[in-house]
Amino acid sequence: MRLFALCLVLGLSGCGLSLDFDPPDDARVGMDAGRLDGGRAECARDEDCDDDQVCNGQERCEAGACVSGAAPTCDDGVECTADECVEGVGCVRTPDHDRCAALGCLAGFCDPAFGCDLVAPDDICSDGVACTDDRCTGDGECLHLPDDERCPADQVCRDDGCGPPPSCASDADCGSPPICKDGGRCEGGRCRYDNAFEDARCASGDPCVRATCDEGRCELAPPVDCGAPDPSLCTRSECVADASGNIGCGTVDRDGEPCAGPDACSPGMCDGSTCDSTSTCTAADACETASCQPDGTCIVARRICPMVGQRCDPATGDCVANCAPGMADCDGDGSCECDRRTSWCDGSTCRRYMSCGPCPGSASECCPCTGACFDPMCLGCCMFCPAPAMAAMP
């Protein structure tokens, strides 16, 4: 029986069939080698090549062979998010609040959908006085609004907390009423005030927040939310007040502000309501080509001249000879700065030839590179010094 099995294996081998008794895990039925052991898995359709991975791109079947696809681009164009591809999830955009600037008592906040915004953290404006209403306005200023209703009867809210009204001897001593109070009269040695319907000091500092005096208190209405600006547009919805003082959302130009431009390679500045884009995907000179890809990346390629001894001329983009006869480019920067008639390349440095003057005795030869006399019998004394190329040494 063992002899029969051996003969069968040898017979199949003779027919050109190679058997792999230890195939890799990724080998498919009917195949000898998989991708992990260096083989090339054959395919009939794209689904045969899918490795169940998202972040390395979608695999395709081309001419019976699996080829890798381009990795997904997760950049959402929002400057305050950290964008990455996570297997099993896809593109993940994590807000980084530290990338957003603060304004006074307002802290920077990253909204993954729109970008940087400003928020007022809880208790950031607390003055430690229980009877004041502490708020952070839209311009980053802390307000401390006294509220007498938080105090016991016959007491008012003062800078140091609840207490009796200011003492007085006459009405003249009561000339500085609190916010949303007016009048000022002296009764029983204490200042008394009436509730005011209007007070210029009761203001939020934010055009989106209305502030009014209500029963002697300065009340702030909820802010009007007009949404965050779209960086691809040069207009935004902003809180505005009409001639009657009514607050609402209106459209204004983002003139002078950055805009996303028509594609990711071309950011620009808003000129009125139009994005005046300036491409950042540009070639440095005529020897470069630059192209903006659909995913927003910029591909720059530099021309390589086919012949040895040639370089690309940055002004014209043509291949020209490296140097004119008698000139040398010592440092390889494309500038032929060394005149071989008067100078020589010492590595990457161009040095002038030097004269020795009279050479007495056996030291009768002059080395133009060092300006030193040497004995002609010393074969290595000046053997690495090139002779002037086109003229006699000056």
Side-chain angles (χ1 to χ4, degrees):
M1 188 65 180
R2 294 179 179 176
L3 181 60
F4 171 76
L6 179 60
C7 292
L8 178 60
V9 170
L10 294 176
L12 292 175
S13 300
C15 295
L17 178 62
S18 175
L19 299 180
D20 188 345
F21 293 101
D22 186 21
D25 293 337
D26 66 333
R28 298 183 178 88
V29 176
M31 299 181 185
D32 169 48
R35 283 169 288 178
L36 295 179
D37 62 354
R40 195 65 178 260
E42 295 181 352
C43 59
R45 55 183 183 173
D46 292 345
E47 290 78 2
D48 297 335
C49 300
D50 190 0
D51 62 357
D52 296 326
Q53 301 293 312
V54 175
C55 296
N56 62 357
Q58 181 63 50
E59 294 77 20
R60 307 185 309 278
C61 183
E62 292 184 1
C66 290
V67 296
S68 299
T73 300
C74 290
D75 186 4
D76 58 0
V78 178
E79 61 181 7
C80 64
T81 59
D83 309 320
E84 62 177 339
C85 184
V86 178
E87 289 298 342
V89 179
C91 288
V92 175
R93 299 172 176 89
T94 305
D96 184 357
H97 304 301
D98 291 337
R99 300 184 184 182
C100 298
L103 174 63
C105 55
L106 295 172
F109 175 79
C110 179
D111 186 329
F114 300 104
C116 286
D117 199 358
L118 292 169
V119 296
D122 294 338
D123 300 328
I124 192 170
C125 287
S126 177
D127 60 358
V129 178
C131 62
T132 58
D133 187 4
D134 306 317
R135 300 171 183 175
C136 180
T137 68
D139 58 0
E141 178 185 1
C142 282
L143 290 181
H144 309 291
L145 307 177
D147 185 358
D148 292 344
E149 290 192 357
R150 299 183 181 182
C151 296
D154 297 330
Q155 290 191 0
V156 296
C157 184
R158 307 183 307 190
D159 291 342
D160 57 351
C162 292
S167 60
C168 59
S170 66
D171 291 350
D173 297 332
C174 303
S176 300
I179 295 176
C180 288
K181 301 284 187 178
D182 61 11
R185 60 190 180 277
C186 185
E187 294 181 356
R190 297 292 182 183
C191 291
R192 304 293 179 179
Y193 302 97
D194 298 324
N195 293 336
F197 294 102
E198 293 183 358
D199 192 331
R201 294 171 297 172
C202 179
S204 68
D206 187 340
C208 293
V209 177
R210 179 183 291 278
T212 57
C213 287
D214 183 15
E215 298 294 331
R217 297 190 305 268
C218 183
E219 294 288 348
L220 302 183
V224 178
D225 185 8
C226 295
D230 184 346
S232 65
L233 301 178
C234 280
T235 59
R236 68 166 174 265
S237 183
E238 187 176 89
C239 288
V240 294
D242 60 18
S244 301
N246 298 318
I247 297 175
C249 294
T251 301
V252 296
D253 292 340
R254 296 176 53 223
D255 195 12
E257 297 181 17
C259 55
D263 55 62
C265 292
S266 301
M269 297 295 290
C270 288
D271 183 6
S273 59
T274 304
C275 181
D276 184 10
S277 61
T278 304
S279 178
T280 58
C281 186
T282 57
D285 51 48
C287 292
E288 284 187 354
T289 57
S291 60
C292 183
Q293 305 302 303
D295 63 355
T297 59
C298 181
I299 303 299
V300 178
R302 189 156 191 90
R303 183 178 183 184
I304 299 177
C305 293
M307 297 182 63
V308 177
Q310 287 187 330
R311 62 180 178 87
C312 182
D313 185 352
T316 64
D318 298 329
C319 288
V320 297
N322 271 338
C323 296
M327 302 298 293
D329 178 11
C330 298
D331 53 12
D333 63 353
S335 174
C336 302
E337 75 283 356
C338 203
D339 189 341
R340 293 290 302 278
R341 295 170 298 181
T342 60
S343 309
W344 62 288
C345 287
D346 181 7
S348 61
T349 303
C350 181
R351 302 190 187 281
R352 290 186 62 84
Y353 286 119
M354 303 175 65
S355 58
C356 298
C359 293
S362 60
S364 59
E365 296 289 336
C366 176
C367 183
C369 292
T370 61
C373 295
F374 68 97
D375 190 328
M377 297 299 293
C378 180
L379 298 179
C381 291
C382 200
M383 64 180 298
F384 296 107
C385 177
M390 300 179 61
M393 182 179 64

